[in-house]
Amino acid sequence: GENVEQHPSTLSVQEGDSAVIKCTYSDSASNYFPWYKQELGKRPQLIIDIRSNVGEKKDQRIAVTLNKTAKHFSLHITETQPEDSAVYFCAASIRGSYIPTFGRGTSLIVHP
Amino acid sequence: GAVVSQHPSRVICKSGTSVKIECRSLDFQATTMFWYRQFPKQSLMLMATSNEGSKATYEQGVEKDKFLINHASLTLSTLTVTSAHPEDSSFYICSARVPGVPQETQYFGPGTRLLVL
């Protein structure tokens, strides 16, 4: 089955700095990579996703890049704000499956 | 957007009792729902896939008789933790696929925090 590794487990930045979270996946058949943001005690919310036919996708301060050859994808948050503080999960879905495999999560702390 | 609700949001029960958690899709029909378990500061662990009108598919290591899942309608799936014990204390989250949306997209409920004393 698919295996998703996520790093770092904790990321602390100053407000205004950029934050990068990296994930790798094992199954080359994976073709859908969503990112979820989960605030403490709340539900995970989809913030951005990317498919294997695209190398990069951007939505305001958030961007995701995908390197299919290396089997890794990254989340980039620019101009971080305290409200960006949360746990971020990457995930990967194998083509034909609708069940994603989640990474272990990254706790992002943005200091004002 | 698609809305998924869960009830209750938190529950405290005595060891040995059973607890039922409801997951509802409010503005769409969900033929498939998913149940996850999340321990503090850990990732989401898929427990089972709930299929409307048929038996749930459980992940390896999840006890079917311990975690009963019923998906009796297109908008409701229930998870019953039977004979709960303190080690069952966790955050339980359901999710649902939305028809017509890319099939891999899941929308999560707000979660149910279970504490077994």
Side-chain angles (χ1 to χ4, degrees):
Chain A
E2 176 63 280
N3 181 47
V4 177
E5 298 286 339
Q6 184 172 347
H7 299 281
S9 57
T10 305
L11 180 57
S12 184
V13 300
Q14 288 296 129
E15 183 177 1
D17 288 350
S18 295
V20 180
I21 302 171
K22 298 181 180 181
C23 289
T24 60
Y25 60 99
S26 60
D27 197 322
S28 57
S30 290
N31 70 335
Y32 176 67
F33 308 91
W35 285 87
Y36 289 88
K37 175 183 180 182
Q38 186 180 28
E39 297 179 11
L40 187 62
K42 296 188 177 180
R43 78 185 80 198
Q45 291 194 310
L46 181 70
I47 56 172
I48 196 168
D49 56 13
I50 192 168
R51 298 187 179 280
S52 60
N53 59 345
V54 177
E56 182 174 0
K57 184 177 180 180
K58 190 174 182 180
D59 182 3
Q60 299 182 340
R61 295 187 297 109
I62 295 173
V64 58
T65 58
L66 171 65
N67 183 325
K68 285 192 296 182
T69 302
K71 294 206 276 293
H72 65 70
F73 56 113
S74 301
L75 177 71
H76 304 253
I77 305 174
T78 59
E79 301 173 28
T80 54
Q81 302 167 2
E83 49 265 38
D84 294 330
S85 297
V87 178
Y88 292 80
F89 292 98
C90 64
S93 289
I94 294 175
R95 185 178 298 112
S97 169
Y98 42 77
I99 302 174
T101 299
F102 287 89
R104 294 181 65 84
T106 296
S107 177
L108 174 62
I109 303 167
V110 181
H111 300 280
Chain B
V3 179
V4 177
S5 71
Q6 268 182 256
H7 179 80
S9 58
R10 58 180 63 195
V11 57
I12 301 173
C13 69
K14 293 182 179 180
S15 185
T17 61
S18 293
V19 175
K20 179 184 284 189
I21 303 170
E22 294 185 347
C23 177
R24 293 181 185 273
S25 56
L26 298 185
D27 51 0
F28 65 98
Q29 294 182 330
T31 54
T32 305
M33 291 184 174
F34 305 90
W35 286 97
Y36 292 86
R37 183 173 182 178
Q38 187 178 33
F39 291 104
K41 298 185 179 181
Q42 293 194 25
S43 190
L44 298 154
M45 183 192 80
L46 180 66
M47 298 174 66
T49 302
S50 173
N51 303 296
E52 187 269 335
S54 64
K55 291 184 178 180
T57 303
Y58 289 82
E59 295 299 301
Q60 190 173 8
V62 178
E63 299 176 59
K64 301 178 182 181
D65 296 330
K66 174 75 172 175
F67 300 98
L68 301 178
I69 292 173
N70 183 278
H71 195 152
S73 79
L74 288 171
T75 59
L76 173 65
S77 175
T78 61
L79 168 67
T80 301
V81 183
T82 61
S83 187
H85 288 93
E87 57 265 29
D88 298 324
S89 299
S90 189
F91 193 50
Y92 292 88
I93 308 177
C94 70
S95 71
R97 292 173 55 212
V98 179
V101 177
Q103 66 177 90
E104 304 92 341
T105 302
Q106 295 195 19
Y107 292 86
F108 287 88
T112 297
R113 190 162 301 282
L114 171 63
L115 177 61
V116 184
L117 302 176

